[in-house]
Amino acid sequence: MAEETELLLIPAPGAPAEFLATVVPMETGESTDASSSTVQLPFEIQLDNYTRETWSLLQQRNDNNIPWEKKALTTADARSAKKLHGFLKYLKERKKSSSAKLRLEGEDGRQSVGCFLIPYDQPDTMMESNHRSYSKDPDNAKIQFVGKFLRDRSILANALAQKQASKQQQQQARKSLAIKQQQHQQQPKTISKPSFSGGLMGKLLGAQSRTGAALAAVPKTSLIKTTNLTKETAKDEAISTFRNSVMDTLTAFQSNDSLPMVKIFVSIAQVLKENGIDKMNAPEGLTMEILRYIVYEATEEIGEDKWIAYKEPSEFMDECHIAVYKEGQAPADVLEEVNKGEMPEEVKAQERAMRAAAEREAQRREGKKDAKTLENVVGKLAVDEGLATLNTVKRDRRTIEEIQREMETGVVHQPNKRSRS
């Protein structure tokens, strides 16, 4: 019998672990895209973090220096298949991988702390097979996936540190090159004054030459960065500047124990302004999705996956506020909104239909209420005849003499009606 491994999931920081699935290694001969590994997984693995780093991808190609191992796993029962099928779909929709600490025992008996990942970019053939199997018979379905693990976490930490140092050196080199180009651009150019003969045409040419020399000597500081750097370099510089600003804000927030929450303003216009880039020359690819992802990534890095980042509702598409809460400080409604997955289109359509029906019912009730009020004011309509009594209160048009005469004689005066002609 294959060795079983129980996967537990911690849905939120500080929450107790919940059962996710019981999995076993896939049998030899089954079609998988993963290389076989002889490492025996422990009895229990707790998935407590999420990451969107490139090294967590299953199809990552630039991790040759990191000895990742892959292992194809499958569910052991129907309950596990139901939960794991939804979890893999959730990871793929959110484009993030789930990670856990992995405690392994070596051949010499020494224990090491590694890293276990469930990447969101599972093989397409495997995901299609899971969907067909679960749709056909959910009670007997087998959900398969490929796990990715590393025997020692320190290897990953060292590789990431080297990559970060190399990235900083490249950024510093680009900044130095930009400064040199800026200084070269600001140096005044010596332009020899051509001699022109006298006369009207000579004076006109001389004036044009002096004007061109004066304009060439003016430094165009506002356009130096945009003109000297390519659009791709300008985009990288803007993203790097924004990321450094977010990291500084979150680092200060981390050191201040009295603050439970901090808000980060995300705006494309502000990023362009801080980097001296004109809106007309804005680089392509600098979108709100990238800026929000930088904030989420920095929050996970500084907060060690214990902080909560929540995008507040905004009326504008090119700016928003992202609230970052420390562990245990996020309100209940924020946690519910963050942990809630994306609703399918069928559920959204049902909710829209329910809201439309409720609005129609409210309009109908309001119409009945208005009709009742109008009926009380004007008078109840005749049920049989369908007519309303009009002119019940008329103006007395009699003169004083006519009223006195009627009081003395008792005969009611009938005034002559005027014709419409």
Side-chain angles (χ1 to χ4, degrees):
M1 180 179 178
E3 295 292 337
E4 295 184 350
T5 299
E6 188 173 286
L7 299 179
L8 302 179
L9 176 65
I10 299 179
E18 300 178 357
F19 173 80
L20 177 61
T22 301
V23 297
V24 295
M26 293 181 61
E27 298 179 0
T28 306
E30 296 187 50
S31 59
T32 65
D33 293 339
S35 59
S36 59
S37 176
T38 58
V39 175
Q40 181 177 342
L41 297 179
F43 173 74
E44 181 180 286
I45 297 177
Q46 288 191 5
L47 301 168
D48 55 355
N49 288 319
Y50 295 98
T51 179
R52 292 187 174 92
E53 295 288 348
T54 56
W55 49 263
S56 65
L57 299 178
L58 185 65
Q59 309 297 335
Q60 177 65 15
R61 299 177 180 178
N62 299 327
D63 56 355
N64 298 328
N65 297 329
I66 304 177
W68 290 105
E69 299 183 53
K70 300 176 183 178
K71 198 174 188 68
L73 303 169
T74 183
T75 53
D77 49 42
R79 179 191 177 194
S80 302
K82 180 179 180 180
K83 286 182 170 290
L84 190 59
H85 181 261
F87 185 66
L88 292 176
K89 184 178 179 182
Y90 167 80
L91 294 180
K92 187 174 182 180
E93 290 177 352
R94 293 298 183 93
K95 295 188 182 302
K96 60 182 181 181
S97 304
S98 182
S99 63
K101 293 181 181 179
L102 186 65
R103 301 186 182 277
L104 299 174
E105 184 175 353
E107 297 178 356
D108 54 354
R110 299 178 58 183
Q111 288 190 351
S112 61
V113 179
C115 177
F116 179 80
L117 294 168
I118 301 181
Y120 73 85
D121 58 332
Q122 294 290 324
D124 295 336
T125 55
M126 186 173 290
M127 294 296 289
E128 292 175 0
S129 175
N130 292 340
H131 181 70
R132 289 195 302 267
S133 175
Y134 189 79
S135 301
K136 184 178 180 180
D137 189 2
D139 296 333
N140 297 318
K142 294 289 185 179
I143 303 301
Q144 305 170 355
F145 71 98
V146 178
K148 177 179 176 179
F149 63 93
L150 188 65
R151 304 193 186 196
D152 192 354
R153 296 182 64 182
S154 61
I155 300 176
L156 177 62
N158 295 333
L160 294 179
Q162 294 177 1
K163 183 178 179 181
Q164 184 66 18
S166 177
K167 185 178 180 181
Q168 291 179 355
Q169 290 178 359
Q170 294 177 0
Q171 291 178 355
Q172 188 65 27
R174 286 196 298 266
K175 288 182 179 180
S176 301
L177 179 60
I179 292 174
K180 291 180 179 179
Q181 292 178 349
Q182 179 179 354
Q183 293 175 352
H184 178 72
Q185 184 74 17
Q186 289 179 346
Q187 289 179 356
K189 297 181 179 179
T190 304
I191 301 177
S192 60
K193 298 181 180 180
S195 60
F196 298 97
S197 59
L200 181 60
M201 184 59 68
K203 292 180 180 180
L204 180 59
L205 295 176
Q208 288 182 348
S209 177
R210 289 191 297 271
T211 302
L215 291 176
V218 177
K220 301 178 181 180
T221 56
S222 60
L223 301 178
I224 286 174
K225 183 169 291 188
T226 305
T227 54
N228 288 344
L229 303 178
T230 63
K231 287 189 175 182
E232 188 66 27
T233 307
K235 173 189 171 183
D236 295 341
E237 290 292 336
I239 292 177
S240 177
T241 303
F242 179 73
R243 176 178 172 79
N244 293 334
S245 175
V246 173
M247 294 290 287
D248 294 341
T249 302
L250 294 180
T251 303
F253 173 60
Q254 182 185 29
S255 60
N256 192 343
D257 297 334
S258 61
L259 289 179
M261 183 268 291
V262 66
K263 288 187 178 182
I264 299 177
F265 181 61
V266 181
S267 171
I268 295 179
Q270 184 179 7
V271 172
L272 296 177
K273 182 179 179 181
E274 291 178 352
N275 289 271
I277 302 176
D278 186 26
K279 291 184 179 180
M280 300 300 295
N281 298 321
E284 298 180 358
L286 186 62
T287 61
M288 287 293 294
E289 287 75 11
I290 293 179
L291 299 182
R292 288 198 300 266
Y293 173 77
I294 291 174
V295 177
Y296 294 147
E297 183 185 33
T299 302
E300 293 179 357
E301 182 177 347
I302 300 296
E304 297 179 353
D305 296 328
K306 296 180 180 179
W307 292 359
I308 299 296
Y310 171 66
K311 175 184 172 294
E312 297 183 345
S314 175
E315 299 178 356
F316 306 98
M317 298 182 63
D318 58 347
E319 64 180 42
C320 68
H321 284 88
I322 298 180
V324 180
Y325 298 89
K326 289 183 179 178
E327 183 180 4
Q329 300 295 332
D333 55 342
V334 173
L335 289 175
E336 181 180 359
E337 188 69 21
V338 171
N339 294 329
K340 183 176 64 176
E342 295 292 334
M343 293 185 297
E345 290 298 330
E346 295 80 2
V347 179
K348 292 182 180 179
Q350 291 178 2
E351 290 191 353
R352 287 195 296 267
M354 292 174 62
R355 286 196 298 267
E359 291 178 358
R360 289 195 297 269
E361 181 67 19
Q363 292 177 358
R364 187 180 66 81
R365 293 179 180 177
E366 191 68 21
K368 284 187 175 181
K369 184 178 179 181
D370 293 342
K372 186 67 176 177
T373 304
L374 183 62
E375 180 180 333
N376 295 335
V377 173
V378 177
K380 188 174 181 180
L381 299 176
V383 179
D384 298 333
E385 299 178 357
L387 301 176
T389 305
L390 303 178
N391 297 331
T392 55
V393 180
K394 294 185 178 180
R395 180 180 178 183
D396 194 353
R397 298 180 179 276
R398 296 176 298 172
T399 63
I400 297 177
E401 292 80 2
E402 291 174 348
I403 295 175
Q404 291 177 351
R405 190 181 305 117
E406 290 178 2
M407 292 176 63
E408 293 175 355
T409 60
V411 179
V412 179
H413 175 70
Q414 296 293 337
N416 294 328
K417 295 183 179 181
R418 293 176 296 179
S419 63
R420 295 181 181 272
S421 59

